[in-house]
Amino acid sequence: MTVRVGYFPHNNSLFVLRHTGILERRLPDVEWVDLRELPAKPAVNPENALPALHSDWLFEEGGYDVIGTGFTPPVTGLAQGRDLVYIGISGPRVENGRLVVKAESEINTVEDLRGKRVGIAHGSWQTTLLLFALDQAGLTWSDIVPVDTDVRGGGADLVDGTIDAWVGAYPGLTDIEANHELRTLIATDGLFSHPSLWFTRRDFADTNPEALQAIIEALQESDAWIEANPREAAQIFVDDIEKRGGSASIDAWEAALRGRPFGVNPVTDEFLDEQQRAADLLLSNGLLPKAVTVREAVVPWISEFVGSDRSSI
């Protein structure tokens, strides 16, 4: 049986794993599915909906069996009725990004965002960060004008005034900070944990436990390699960008990878509480079609395997 693993650069762990051959040693019949090559989904209005492509492709022909993303997509998928389950999470990535404005902006607090245009990669962790920040300030989603930007984009829009504030992430933030003075409106640290996470279909976990275990072990081995070889890992991203006609700084990518936690850990109660809070806020702000209970997506044996000590095996 061929196992399909989705990957894209924004989940650093899976993107590196795609290029190391580590998984193939455990799972020879693996097919890698580049999300960037899949057909585009219709855009959604960021004022009242969330894109669901990451979870959709778990259940659609031509997609994949396993995927890794940021914080928001599994909640979106669950609200769309997708029977998905968590695999694991990374440590907190609180240094990965934050909500910023230009230094000269008259926006001094989150409360000042009322009626302002805020750039986010909608549907990603950036949506959750902004929603948590608004809720903390007593605002709702309808109090701002959300503008969907690429997960690495938005910086140029902030500089030229197309948007008034931006949830930026590294290494994209690096380029903007090098040439423009920014001011942090709210940091990720203290707002939410912002981990990477991985998930799959329940039926895949039920019928292919050995394949899922192989993927988990390969991710953990590959992540350990990234931590030990951040510059070599950074080169993988730079090579991909240059192959596609772009340019990138290996120093910026190395710094970004050094600043992120790697490793696949079991889901925790704290993480699930954050997921549930996000789900409840997304629903109450009109961004989800129905309520979800995130703990229904936890499979105990997966968490036990992820957290088990296999160092002596």
Side-chain angles (χ1 to χ4, degrees):
M1 171 189 160
T2 298
V3 174
R4 303 163 301 164
V5 179
Y7 75 101
F8 62 139
H10 308 322
N11 186 279
N12 300 158
S13 296
L14 280 171
F15 194 74
V16 171
L17 182 62
R18 166 66 180 91
H19 294 87
T20 61
I22 289 173
L23 179 56
E24 285 79 354
R25 295 201 299 267
R26 290 181 170 86
L27 204 62
D29 293 329
V30 60
E31 177 185 341
W32 290 97
V33 180
D34 189 336
L35 269 68
R36 300 169 298 180
E37 304 300 324
L38 294 176
K41 298 281 186 176
V44 302
N45 184 346
E47 295 182 1
N48 55 32
L50 283 166
L53 74 166
H54 294 112
S55 55
D56 286 348
W57 284 117
L58 279 171
F59 297 86
E60 295 180 7
E61 185 176 352
Y64 40 73
D65 302 305
V66 170
I67 190 58
T69 67
F71 193 83
T72 311
V75 171
T76 307
L78 290 168
Q80 296 289 339
R82 300 301 198 181
D83 193 11
L84 57 86
V85 295
Y86 299 106
I87 295 172
I89 59 175
S90 75
R93 296 186 299 161
V94 294
E95 301 301 324
N96 183 40
R98 59 195 189 279
L99 178 59
V100 299
V101 295
K102 290 188 289 188
E104 65 272 19
S105 173
E106 295 181 355
I107 299 172
N108 296 304
T109 67
V110 175
E111 288 88 342
D112 295 334
L113 290 177
R114 189 184 297 273
K116 302 298 184 182
R117 298 158 297 177
V118 185
I120 51 171
H122 189 48
S124 74
W125 65 272
Q126 298 183 12
T127 299
T128 295
L129 182 145
L130 178 56
L131 189 56
F132 280 5
L134 292 172
D135 183 64
Q136 187 179 80
L139 300 179
T140 66
W141 198 250
S142 62
D143 288 322
I144 57 105
V145 180
V147 179
D148 193 4
T149 65
D150 179 75
V151 73
R152 301 284 183 223
D157 292 337
L158 179 67
V159 171
D160 68 20
T162 302
I163 57 178
D164 303 298
W166 173 48
V167 180
Y170 291 103
L173 260 171
T174 303
D175 297 335
I176 305 302
E177 290 176 325
N179 300 293
H180 303 278
E181 189 175 353
L182 303 179
R183 178 158 40 83
T184 298
L185 205 59
I186 193 164
T188 303
D189 193 10
L191 191 64
F192 84 122
S193 62
H194 177 28
S196 292
L197 52 84
W198 298 266
F199 52 100
T200 185
R201 299 187 311 277
R202 188 181 301 274
D203 72 282
F204 180 80
D206 288 344
T207 59
N208 299 279
E210 292 182 356
L212 183 54
Q213 290 170 357
I215 293 168
I216 292 166
E217 289 178 327
L219 273 168
Q220 290 173 329
E221 180 182 344
S222 181
D223 271 16
W225 181 84
I226 296 172
E227 288 187 309
N229 303 275
R231 194 163 186 85
E232 290 87 338
Q235 190 65 57
I236 294 172
F237 294 91
V238 172
D239 289 347
D240 177 76
I241 293 168
E242 292 179 346
K243 182 177 69 175
R244 291 172 175 270
S247 61
S249 163
I250 189 170
D251 292 335
W253 268 103
E254 181 183 0
L257 295 179
R258 286 184 180 275
R260 295 175 186 175
F262 287 94
V264 183
N265 309 308
V267 295
T268 64
D269 283 335
E270 293 79 10
F271 163 75
L272 293 169
D273 287 344
E274 281 190 323
Q275 285 270 283
Q276 191 63 58
R277 182 183 171 220
D280 294 344
L281 280 174
L282 289 165
L283 178 68
S284 65
N285 281 269
L287 292 167
L288 290 185
K290 70 174 185 176
V292 299
T293 302
V294 301
R295 279 175 168 79
E296 293 178 352
V298 176
V299 175
W301 78 256
I302 297 178
S303 294
E304 291 169 5
F305 184 82
V306 171
S308 62
D309 182 5
R310 296 182 293 278
S311 59
S312 60
I313 299 176

